[in-house]
Amino acid sequence: QCPPWGGGGERRVWGPRAGTRRKHPCTVPFPPDEHHKPRNVQVAAKPPVRFSLRTSGDSDHEGCYLSVGHNQPLEDCGFNVTAKTFFIIHGWTMSGMFESWLYKLVSALQMREKEANVVVVDWLPLAHKLYTDAVNNTRVVGHSVARMLDWLQEKDDFSLGNVHLIGYSLGAHVAGYAGNFVKGTVGRITGLDPAGPLFEGVDIHRRLSPDDADFVDVLHTYTRSFGLSIGIQMPVGHIDIYPNGGDFQPGCGLNDVLGSIAYGTITEVVKCEHERAVHLFVDSLVNQDKPSFAFQCTDSNRFKKGICLSCRKNRCNSIGYNAKKTRSKRNSKMYLKTRAGMPFRGEPQSPQCPEEGPSSFPFFSVPCCRKRTSRPGRWDRPHEIKSLPIK
């Protein structure tokens, strides 16, 4: 059927629809000076992977796009070859658009490291697919990141050791592939709740692993839900930190799962849990005076009993950006308790300290224990407190 304005004219109406130009089946009469004439304009296809050097945290500012083999954008956009370089890699998307967390992370990095280069890896065309297809595309995107890094290494004074890849969800495994394919060793990879489905238990060359960078640290915030783990449960880095046990995050409403289902808010709950890893990392950047510490423990239950509150032999560490590289080649599982919002550093509790007695120090995410001294009624600081990396 023709629209109300349609008629028996001789010229066809052209209009944009879904990013293309399509002919309307009806015709309308236009005056001879009508300007909306069809034009044979060929639009260049958008590359499947783009590298945006962000000069602003503003979501409306796309920054400068870098391309392998083209030096001019590096000069025009002020790329600092001697500074730290961060690559932010998003994950699977159902909307085909960047989410708000990305701009917050860009802004936080720019505030903390003012001279650094912050590059957003835009692989939305390959991530906005069925999940299984997006998983298969992670290897392709990893290759693209590795090629960009290999090209940058050709520049004088650029060091791969200054590169920090930060990947969220599927993006964490993209970072793993990039670290595996690049010529040399990336300084650091941070995995923010790496995706679990189709990655749990697979070979180390098909997921993020400690071999992918000089230091790999991971935050796990959504490790199971109704039998399906959105985030990967197994340790995949040098240190793997499980805030609040890595499952139910304060403030996300998963304590009322049935209610979330009934009210149709389960999607928001899942997003909150999964995305909490990003916000914990942002918190570590912007709240330097309120650092959070995690403690090495065999499992979450032992940690909740207050058994694993020791800092001896690198058994505790800062979380997020402030995490310190450990010399141990073994995976280290670490735990902490957090608040429901920023700053996330947990309020002092009273864990069960075996035969020693509880106490609280303001810089701990959870309280630690003091050993009883020979003087009645007095508690002394344990030896491990002195080794805390407090700034």
Side-chain angles (χ1 to χ4, degrees), residues 2 21 118 152 159 225 227 264 328 336 376:
C2 294
R21 289 186 175 274
V118 180
L152 288 172
S159 172
S225 174
S328 175
L336 77 156

Side-chain angles (χ1 to χ4, degrees), residues 51-115:
F51 299 88
S52 172
L53 176 63
R54 312 296 291 200
T55 55
S56 170
D58 189 350
S59 60
D60 295 328
H61 193 275
E62 291 190 1
C64 301
Y65 285 100
L66 307 180
S67 180
V68 172
H70 295 80
N71 293 317
Q72 197 61 42
L74 292 178
E75 300 176 8
D76 294 343
C77 300
F79 188 92
N80 189 344
V81 293
T82 62
K84 294 180 181 179
T85 300
F86 299 94
F87 283 78
I88 302 174
I89 312 173
H90 64 80
W92 182 53
T93 172
M94 290 187 291
S95 67
M97 302 172 61
F98 288 139
E99 297 183 22
S100 61
W101 65 261
L102 187 140
Y103 305 109
K104 294 177 182 177
L105 180 54
V106 168
S107 179
L109 285 169
Q110 291 174 334
M111 288 177 59
R112 179 69 176 266
E113 300 287 352
K114 300 186 186 308
E115 301 299 320

Side-chain angles (χ1 to χ4, degrees), residues 81-83 85 152-153 155-163 185 187:
V81 293
T82 62
T85 300
L152 288 172
Q153 286 188 86
K155 313 305 172 189
D156 293 337
D157 300 323
F158 182 86
S159 172
L160 205 57
N162 286 335
V163 172
T185 304

Side-chain angles (χ1 to χ4, degrees), residues 11 38 316 370-371 386:
R11 306 177 97 184
C316 72
R370 293 179 179 177
K371 295 182 179 179
K386 299 177 182 178

Side-chain angles (χ1 to χ4, degrees), residues 82-273:
T82 62
K84 294 180 181 179
T85 300
F86 299 94
F87 283 78
I88 302 174
I89 312 173
H90 64 80
W92 182 53
T93 172
M94 290 187 291
S95 67
M97 302 172 61
F98 288 139
E99 297 183 22
S100 61
W101 65 261
L102 187 140
Y103 305 109
K104 294 177 182 177
L105 180 54
V106 168
S107 179
L109 285 169
Q110 291 174 334
M111 288 177 59
R112 179 69 176 266
E113 300 287 352
K114 300 186 186 308
E115 301 299 320
N117 309 298
V118 180
V119 179
V120 173
V121 180
D122 176 358
W123 63 290
L124 289 174
L126 297 178
H128 190 208
K129 305 280 188 182
L130 291 175
Y131 179 77
T132 52
D133 292 335
V135 167
N136 292 330
N137 289 335
T138 56
R139 182 183 179 92
V140 175
V141 182
H143 263 298
S144 295
V145 176
R147 283 196 299 270
M148 173 60 71
L149 292 174
D150 288 338
W151 176 64
L152 288 172
Q153 286 188 86
E154 298 175 3
K155 313 305 172 189
D156 293 337
D157 300 323
F158 182 86
S159 172
L160 205 57
N162 286 335
V163 172
H164 186 172
L165 307 181
I166 305 172
Y168 167 58
S169 194
L170 279 186
H173 299 296
V174 170
Y177 276 123
N180 190 25
F181 294 142
V182 72
K183 297 174 183 177
T185 304
V186 170
R188 180 178 175 185
I189 293 177
T190 296
L192 301 176
D193 209 25
L198 303 182
F199 291 99
E200 195 79 58
V202 302
D203 182 80
I204 61 171
H205 299 296
R206 295 168 53 199
R207 59 166 172 81
L208 177 63
S209 73
D211 298 332
D212 296 327
D214 191 40
F215 178 46
V216 179
D217 62 300
V218 183
L219 283 169
H220 301 260
T221 54
Y222 197 177
T223 55
R224 64 177 174 272
S225 174
F226 310 111
L228 175 65
S229 181
I230 303 298
I232 199 165
Q233 298 182 28
M234 62 186 294
V236 292
H238 292 104
I239 62 170
D240 287 75
I241 299 173
Y242 297 78
N244 307 296
D247 41 27
F248 298 149
Q249 301 303 320
C252 286
L254 268 182
N255 292 330
D256 185 19
V257 174
L258 294 179
S260 298
I261 296 175
Y263 287 99
T265 58
I266 191 66
T267 301
E268 286 78 9
V269 172
V270 170
K271 183 176 183 292
C272 178
E273 296 274 338

Side-chain angles (χ1 to χ4, degrees), residues 104 219 221 241 243-244 248-252 271-294 319-320 336-349 362-366:
K104 294 177 182 177
L219 283 169
T221 54
I241 299 173
N244 307 296
F248 298 149
Q249 301 303 320
C252 286
K271 183 176 183 292
C272 178
E273 296 274 338
H274 197 33
E275 203 174 286
R276 177 60 59 86
V278 178
H279 298 292
L280 285 167
F281 192 85
V282 170
D283 182 53
S284 71
L285 288 164
V286 301
N287 290 312
Q288 298 183 60
D289 59 330
K290 298 179 177 64
S292 294
F293 290 88
I319 77 164
L336 77 156
K337 185 175 182 179
T338 74
R339 297 173 63 250
M342 289 190 186
F344 285 104
R345 188 179 70 182
E347 296 297 330
Q349 303 287 323
F363 45 77
F364 271 108
S365 295
V366 296

